[in-house]
Amino acid sequence: MPVATTSFLIFAASQVGTPGPANMALLATGARYGFRAALPFVLGVALGKQLVIWPVGYGLMELADQVPWLFTVLKYASATYICWLAWKVANLRLTVGKGQDKAPGFLAGLIVHPLNPKAWAMIVAGFTGFVSAGTSTFEATLTIALVLLSCQLVLHPIWTFAGDKIAQVVAGRPAEKYLMRTLAALTVLSVLFVLFGGGLHI
């Protein structure tokens, strides 16, 4: 199978759904401005990742044919970085503020992922961990792009809509640290799944 789509879907959902720069921005935006007002920002965040996926896909897939060992190095480097992010998630505490200023719009959301190191690591991990050797660049990139966009269209609005509720329920309470540790553990397990289980070893 050229791309381990099901395995990547599990990985992508765990990554898109866990706290990171983008989800924290969505959480705070939803809490400050409300779900409806934040929708243009949400759409921008979702589509912004495509600005990273396609250039990375074409660059990495072509580079893999020329320097195969670099592909493997990138896979483990990405996995290491995501595990480091998981450690940060475990120690993260939710804080959101209230504001009456204008909600950020589509263009503000569009630049979130190009400036988000977690997004870059996630995308590189997708190409290096779930795409088999010899897969066409277009097929690999399209699959990665569609899977990530699907996860984002489902999970980003949830973060935005639930941001205010999550903060009100768990912020500053004992349950908060257990929530964040659970999300961090899920992230680490997904990385281990890539390296030793469901991912493709190239």
Side-chain angles (χ1 to χ4, degrees):
M1 190 175 185
V3 182
T5 307
T6 301
S7 296
F8 181 62
L9 179 60
I10 295 171
F11 172 78
S14 73
Q15 290 300 297
V16 174
T18 53
N23 283 336
M24 290 299 96
L26 293 166
L27 181 100
T29 302
R32 287 177 63 89
Y33 307 105
F35 179 72
R36 189 180 297 272
L39 281 178
F41 180 73
V42 175
L43 182 60
V45 172
L47 293 180
K49 189 169 284 184
Q50 300 298 312
L51 300 178
V52 180
I53 293 170
W54 288 90
V56 167
Y58 272 81
L60 277 181
M61 297 309 293
E62 291 178 8
L63 188 61
D65 293 333
Q66 300 172 14
V67 192
W69 61 267
L70 185 58
F71 212 56
T72 301
V73 170
L74 285 171
K75 175 170 68 175
Y76 285 95
S78 297
T80 300
Y81 182 74
I82 291 172
C83 285
W84 177 74
L85 286 175
W87 178 82
K88 293 187 69 176
V89 166
N91 295 282
L92 184 67
R93 296 298 173 260
L94 297 171
T95 56
V96 295
K98 297 290 184 182
Q100 301 301 321
D101 48 321
K102 185 177 180 182
F106 176 80
L107 291 179
L110 201 62
I111 65 172
V112 168
H113 280 309
L115 300 177
N116 178 7
K118 180 183 177 183
W120 284 84
M122 184 192 316
I123 291 164
V124 171
F127 282 106
T128 57
F130 297 92
V131 179
S132 61
T135 303
S136 75
T137 301
F138 178 75
E139 181 180 0
T141 307
L142 180 64
T143 302
I144 297 295
L146 289 178
V147 169
L148 283 172
L149 182 60
S150 298
C151 290
Q152 289 176 275
L153 291 176
V154 172
L155 295 170
H156 281 350
I158 290 174
W159 269 99
T160 308
F161 182 76
D164 195 19
K165 306 301 181 185
I166 292 174
Q168 289 179 11
V169 171
V170 304
R173 300 181 183 182
E176 181 181 19
K177 66 179 180 180
Y178 296 110
L179 170 66
M180 306 317 285
R181 288 174 182 175
T182 299
L183 293 173
L186 179 61
T187 300
V188 172
L189 288 174
S190 71
V191 170
L192 294 176
F193 186 67
V194 172
L195 295 178
F196 307 110
L200 296 173
H201 299 278
I202 299 172

